[in-house]
Amino acid sequence: MDTFPQAQPREALESVVIRFAGDSGDGMQLTGSQFTHSTALMGNDLATFPDFPAEIRAPAGTTYGVSGFQIHFAAHDIMTPGDAPDVLVAMNPAALKTNLGDLREGGLLIVNTGAFVKGNLKKAGYEGNPLEDGSLSAYRLVDLDIQKMTVAAVEAFELGSKDALRCKNMWTLGLVLWLFGREYASTIEWLEQKFAKKPIIAQANIAALKAGHAYGETAELPSGIGPYEVPKAKLEPGVYRNIQGNDALAWGLTAASQLSGLRMVLGTYPITPASSVLHALAKLKNFGVTTFQAEDEIAAVCAAIGASWGGALGVTTTSGPGVALKGEGIGLAIILELPLIIVDVQRGGPSTGLPTKTEQSDLLQAVYGRNGDAPLAVLAACTPGDCFFMAIEAARIAVKYMTPVMLLSDGYLANGAEPWRIPKVSDLPRIEVEFPKDKPEGFHPYLRDPETLARPWAIPGTPGLQHRIGGLEKGYDSGNISYDPDNHHKMTKTRAAKIAGIADDIPVQTVEQGEDSGELVVVGWGSTYGAITQAVARARAAGKKVSQIHLRYLNPLPRGLAELLGGFEKVIVPEMNNGMLSKILRSEFLIDAVGVNKIAGQPFKVSEIEAAIEENLA
C-alpha cells in the first residue's frame, strides 16, 4: 500500500455529504461505489443514494441523462444519505445545472472545466458560462480541466482519445479520496480484477487514479480548501460489510432456504429496480438456489407457484407494473393456499412511470390489489440491512401459514448501501417445515391446523395424499370443487381469518422514540425510517413532545397499534405516495391520520419531516 506525506494537517469533520454527478456514461455510479468501499474500510458509518436516469443512454450533455451518486459518511451513527451535499462534483454543465440547487451555501464545488464548451452549455440550458459570470460565488469553487489532466496522466498507454477520457472518473476519484484521507489500494485491486483481460486499460485507470491523488497532494488549492478527515465511527463490535438492499434480499432469501431446509426456486422477469436480486441469487447456486428467468411476469409467478406446489420455497421478484401483471397468479396462490414470496421493489408509477426513481406507491396494490376477497400478508423492510431479516420473516410466515407474502422494498433501499453487521448463523431462527408423510385419518387437502388455519403441505407423489388443486373454489370439508354459496362464504371468511391471525405471531407494536402518548406521533413504514428517526430525534432534542412509530408489518397490522395511536392528539404519516398508509389507518382505526406526502421520485429529507413536525405542533 502506497503511503503519502501529509503536506498540511487535516481538518477533522464529524460528517460529510458528497455527490458525484455527470453523464450516465461518465462512470459516476462506479466512482461513488468505489469511494463508498474505501470509506467503509476506513470504519465510518455511511449511507448512500445512487440516482440513475431512466434512459439507458440519454444524449451526452443533456440534463435528463445526468447520473448522480450521493454518500453521507460520519464519525457517528447516521441513517440517511444526507439532505444537502457539502461537496458537489460536477463533470459537465448538465450535472451542474441539475444539482447545484441542492449544494449548501458555502459548499465545495469541484467542476470539470474541460466539459464547459459551447455545445454542452447550450444542451444544459445555459446562455453563458456559469464559471465566468459570478453566479457560483456562494460556493467554494475548484475548477479543474480534469479531461486534460486525465489525458496527460494516461498518455504513456497510447490509448485513443475516447478510451483516455473514460479514465477521467478515476482521476476525479483519486482527488476526492485524497481530499478526505481515503486510501486507494482497494480501488486498485478492484481495477486489476475488473480489467484482468485488459491489463492496459487497468493500468491506465490506475495511473489516472494516482494522478488525481497526487494532484491533491501537490497542487495549491484555493484558500480555505484543504484536506479533511472524518474519524472512525463507534460501531457495535462484529464483522461488517457494505451491503445494498437488493443484495440483502438475495442473502436473506437464501438464508431462509437454508434455515428451512427447502430448496429455493426464483421465477422472475427482469424489471428495474428489482433485477439485481436475480443477478445476486444467480451467483448462489452452491446454496441450492435455482433461478429461472421467464418469458414474462405471468410465467414467472406461475413457475414460482409450481415450485411451491412441488415442495420448494417459491419466490418471485418484481416492481409495481409486474405486481399488476402477476395479480391473477397471486390470486391463484391464495386460493391454492401455498407458500409464495413476492418481492416488490417499488418505483414511481403509474404504468412505466419513473422506472429508476423511488416511491412507496404500491401499498394499496399490495394489500388490496387482486380480484375477489384475496388477503395476503404484507411486510416492509426499513433499511438496506433490514431487507435480509425481513426476507427471512416473509419465508417464516409463508411456510407456517401456507400463504403468499408480499415483501415491500423500494428503489431507495434497493440501491442504497450501509455498513451491515453480519449475523451469526446460530443466532438466526430455524423455520420449521412439516410435510405429511403418510395418509392421516380423514386427510383432505384443506384440513386445517386449528391454531394457524394453515392447510397441510402435501407434496405431489406422496402415497395416499393424491388431491386436486386449482383456481376453482374448494369445499371446506373435502377439498373438492364446490359452488355451494354457504361454502364460498365460509372459505372466504376462513382465508381472511388465517391472515388476520398472523397478528398473534408478530411483535406487538411499540414506539421507536418517545412516550406512548402525547401531542404528536410520526408514523412511518418502509424506507422513510431513517429520515423520520433523525427528524424526531432532533425535535425531541429541541424539547418538542413528539414520538415515533414505525411499521414493518402492514397486513395484518400489529396488535397494540390501535391503542398507541389513540393516545396521541395528532398523527402524521410521512410516505412517498399520495396518502396510502394514512388511508389504511383512517379506515382501520377511525383516527384522523394526516398525510405528509412526497411523490417526487426522491426520498424524504430530514428537514422536510422536521418542518411537518413543526407545523403540526404549532
Side-chain angles (χ1 to χ4, degrees), residues 4-13 16 73 87 108 110 140 142 174-182 213 215-231:
F4 304 93
Q6 299 299 315
Q8 55 182 301
R10 291 184 174 272
E11 179 184 348
L13 302 174
V16 177
F73 58 105
V87 181
L108 178 59
I110 300 173
R140 294 178 295 151
V142 178
L175 173 63
V176 181
L177 286 172
W178 172 82
L179 196 61
F180 292 96
R182 319 280 100 174
H213 199 286
Y215 180 88
E217 189 181 30
T218 59
E220 203 169 305
L221 295 174
S223 177
I225 300 174
Y228 307 96
E229 65 176 358
V230 178

Side-chain angles (χ1 to χ4, degrees), residues 118-325:
K118 187 174 181 180
N120 286 344
L121 289 166
K122 185 177 179 180
K123 288 179 188 177
Y126 283 114
E127 294 183 3
N129 190 336
L131 302 180
E132 300 171 352
D133 62 10
S135 60
L136 304 178
S137 60
Y139 312 101
R140 294 178 295 151
L141 179 64
V142 178
D143 50 346
L144 306 170
D145 192 341
I146 293 174
Q147 295 178 188
K148 180 180 179 180
M149 288 186 280
T150 300
V151 170
V154 303
E155 183 179 7
F157 301 96
E158 299 182 345
L159 303 176
S161 175
K162 188 175 181 180
D163 284 339
L165 286 174
R166 281 177 175 165
C167 299
K168 66 181 179 291
N169 64 326
M170 286 294 106
W171 194 100
T172 306
L173 175 61
L175 173 63
V176 181
L177 286 172
W178 172 82
L179 196 61
F180 292 96
R182 319 280 100 174
E183 293 286 354
Y184 57 50
S186 63
T187 301
I188 290 177
E189 183 180 350
W190 179 84
L191 286 167
E192 289 173 341
Q193 291 176 355
K194 181 175 177 63
F195 297 109
K197 295 181 179 179
K198 298 179 179 180
I200 296 298
I201 298 296
Q203 291 306 311
N205 276 280
I206 291 169
L209 176 74
K210 290 183 175 181
H213 199 286
Y215 180 88
E217 189 181 30
T218 59
E220 203 169 305
L221 295 174
S223 177
I225 300 174
Y228 307 96
E229 65 176 358
V230 178
K232 291 183 178 181
K234 294 180 180 178
L235 301 175
E236 188 177 346
V239 178
Y240 284 79
R241 63 154 290 149
N242 211 40
I243 198 164
Q244 293 180 310
N246 276 1
D247 286 337
L249 282 171
W251 288 18
L253 292 167
T254 304
S257 171
Q258 297 290 304
L259 293 166
S260 63
L262 298 170
R263 293 176 296 118
M264 194 191 84
V265 177
L266 174 71
T268 192
Y269 182 77
I271 183 170
T272 302
S275 298
S276 59
V277 181
L278 165 63
H279 304 158
L281 285 171
K283 300 173 183 176
L284 300 176
K285 294 178 182 178
N286 54 313
F287 290 102
V289 174
T290 299
T291 54
F292 168 58
Q293 181 178 319
E295 65 267 28
D296 56 41
E297 297 279 8
I298 298 170
V301 70
C302 289
I305 293 169
S308 290
W309 181 55
L313 183 62
V315 179
T316 190
T317 55
T318 190
S319 189
V323 174
L325 290 167

Side-chain angles (χ1 to χ4, degrees), residues 29-54:
Q29 301 303 320
L30 190 153
T31 302
S33 63
Q34 286 304 306
F35 187 90
T36 299
H37 188 60
S38 296
T39 297
L41 291 174
M42 291 292 292
N44 296 123
D45 196 13
L46 63 90
T48 68
F49 177 51
D51 192 14
F52 308 94

Side-chain angles (χ1 to χ4, degrees), residues 20-82:
F20 299 93
D23 263 332
S24 56
D26 281 342
M28 292 298 94
Q29 301 303 320
L30 190 153
T31 302
S33 63
Q34 286 304 306
F35 187 90
T36 299
H37 188 60
S38 296
T39 297
L41 291 174
M42 291 292 292
N44 296 123
D45 196 13
L46 63 90
T48 68
F49 177 51
D51 192 14
F52 308 94
E55 289 76 11
I56 293 174
R57 185 55 63 85
T62 57
T63 55
Y64 50 88
V66 173
S67 177
F69 188 105
Q70 184 161 308
I71 175 172
H72 181 194
F73 58 105
H76 52 78
D77 185 37
I78 57 172
M79 309 189 82
T80 74

